[in-house]
Amino acid sequence: DANGAEVTFSTDITETAAKAVFTAESDFVPHAHGLLAVYPKRTDRDATSYADGVVTGLHIGGTQQAVAGSFDPKFAVALGVALTEESNDLLFVNIHSLVKFTVGGETAPATVTLKNNGERKIAGTYNVEISEGQATVTEGADEITLNGPFEVGKTYYIALVYGECENGISLYFDDVEVKNTGETITLEPNKIYNL
């Protein structure tokens, strides 16, 4: 709102749709810089806020639940910005990266862990500076655990905070390293990286 505080909007649409109309649950005076939205609404954490060009209080969990062919929907963080300065139409873009992998072999692991080989945190509470798009983790971890069940032959995704991963990232099946990208990589928002 005008003070940068979170206001909840909702829709009654239940089917998959390319467009949706959302309505505020209370009176709403928009921020002077225009409409800005964050999805999903998290009820288990502190509210997000906006001030000085920075959205604060975003979150990607260090523990996620495996979903065959998809990702844990709680951590698919998207930011909606107005198409024009005076518009009520918002275009949403994911402000996380996804790492994709397929379970091979004969036995599926119980857990899968993704680790940043450097020091930067890839999960936790983070902020995004709007004009530059830079993400900064304020509190978090350098690894993410994806809990099963998993199935051999199925593909899974892990959501993580985008940014540079010094010395790359590693993937572990039940604490056994199955992939190490080795070189420093910069993960971009709204992109999928296939391991």
Side-chain angles (χ1 to χ4, degrees):
D1 65 9
N3 299 315
E6 180 180 282
V7 175
T8 301
F9 280 71
S10 61
T11 183
D12 57 4
I13 290 178
T14 57
E15 301 296 322
T16 301
K19 293 183 176 185
V21 175
F22 288 81
T23 306
E25 295 179 358
S26 59
D27 290 336
F28 177 71
V29 177
H31 197 277
H33 295 292
L35 291 177
L36 188 69
V38 175
Y39 176 88
K41 162 87 172 143
R42 298 295 303 272
T43 57
D44 59 337
R45 306 198 64 80
D46 292 338
T48 56
S49 61
Y50 177 72
D52 301 324
V54 179
V55 177
T56 60
L58 304 168
H59 184 256
I60 291 181
T63 302
Q64 300 177 21
Q65 184 60 48
V67 179
S70 191
F71 45 83
D72 190 329
K74 290 192 303 246
F75 304 116
V77 184
L79 185 67
V81 294
L83 294 175
T84 64
E85 200 170 297
E86 310 219 348
S87 174
N88 285 343
D89 294 330
L90 302 173
L91 176 65
F92 281 85
V93 176
N94 295 319
I95 51 172
H96 63 269
S97 296
L98 289 175
V99 167
K100 170 185 175 182
F101 66 92
T102 301
V103 176
E106 297 179 4
T107 305
T111 62
V112 173
T113 303
L114 179 71
K115 292 184 180 180
N116 178 10
N117 297 331
E119 295 182 11
R120 191 181 69 82
K121 309 298 186 204
I122 59 173
T125 302
Y126 69 110
N127 304 332
V128 171
E129 196 277 324
I130 299 297
S131 66
E132 299 295 323
Q134 185 167 343
T136 304
V137 178
T138 58
E139 180 183 352
D142 60 1
E143 66 180 56
I144 297 169
T145 299
L146 189 63
N147 290 320
F150 295 95
E151 292 181 57
V152 173
K154 300 282 185 176
T155 298
Y156 300 87
Y157 298 80
I158 300 172
L160 66 154
V161 179
Y162 62 91
E164 183 180 270
C165 294
E166 190 176 352
N167 302 317
I169 53 177
S170 295
L171 192 69
Y172 295 80
F173 285 5
D174 292 330
D175 298 322
V176 176
E177 185 178 74
V178 295
K179 178 71 176 182
N180 184 334
T181 64
E183 298 179 1
T184 297
I185 57 173
T186 300
L187 303 176
E188 297 180 29
N190 204 37
K191 291 210 173 176
I192 299 171
Y193 295 87
N194 190 0
L195 295 184

